[in-house]
Amino acid sequence: MSDFKDTVKAEQGRVFREAWIAGVTRHYPGEPKAGYIAPWEETPDWERESAATVYGQVYAFIEATDGGTAKLTRSQKGRFVALCWIGQIFKYFPDPKPAYVADWDDMPPWQQETDADIFERIERDT
């Protein structure tokens, strides 16, 4: 059973990463940094774990509202992803750069749009 759960969690993390890459590709102004669009296999372990965890948090939120999240605005959806991700940053980095834990209003528009895209991608999975 543990192998199955690990496989599902890894797949959820991969979906999160693919949605991130698609969003960055679509919304980032100019050429994104290589790390922003690195494939899953080149993603650091902490980031893989975080992607899977945040996917699970978003999925659980959607399930807990019985799909009521469909009524949220894109901004609300993106904010939820951003807050979950910031929690992961604090988990893995005791003193992160301020840009890594920026509040929603201080995030660049491309990142806000990408986070909203991620939420909506996970919605399609539920």
Side-chain angles (χ1 to χ4, degrees):
M1 183 70 162
S2 179
D3 288 341
F4 177 75
K5 284 184 178 180
D6 290 344
T7 300
V8 169
K9 189 170 182 178
E11 184 56 32
Q12 290 172 341
R14 189 180 298 268
V15 168
F16 182 100
R17 182 68 183 174
E18 289 169 0
W20 167 262
I21 291 169
V24 169
T25 301
R26 184 173 26 252
H27 303 294
Y28 192 88
E31 187 70 27
K33 297 177 187 177
Y36 286 173
I37 56 173
W40 179 252
E41 296 73 24
E42 296 173 21
T43 304
D45 289 342
W46 75 266
E47 200 167 345
R48 288 186 196 195
E49 181 68 27
S50 294
T53 297
V54 175
Y55 181 105
Q57 290 173 307
V58 173
Y59 190 93
F61 182 45
I62 295 165
E63 289 285 303
T65 65
D66 200 22
T69 56
K71 296 176 183 175
L72 296 175
T73 65
R74 274 186 56 83
S75 177
Q76 290 168 326
K77 293 174 182 184
R79 284 174 192 260
F80 187 81
V81 171
L83 283 173
C84 291
W85 189 261
I86 289 169
Q88 292 300 302
I89 294 294
F90 281 126
K91 176 181 178 181
Y92 288 100
F93 300 97
D95 190 25
K97 293 181 184 179
Y100 293 171
V101 293
D103 196 24
W104 180 257
D105 293 334
D106 298 324
M107 295 171 84
W110 69 265
Q111 191 171 356
Q112 292 175 344
E113 291 297 325
T114 298
D115 285 351
D117 288 353
I118 291 168
F119 192 106
E120 290 176 348
R121 172 63 177 86
I122 297 168
E123 274 184 317
R124 290 193 296 274
D125 281 358
T126 57

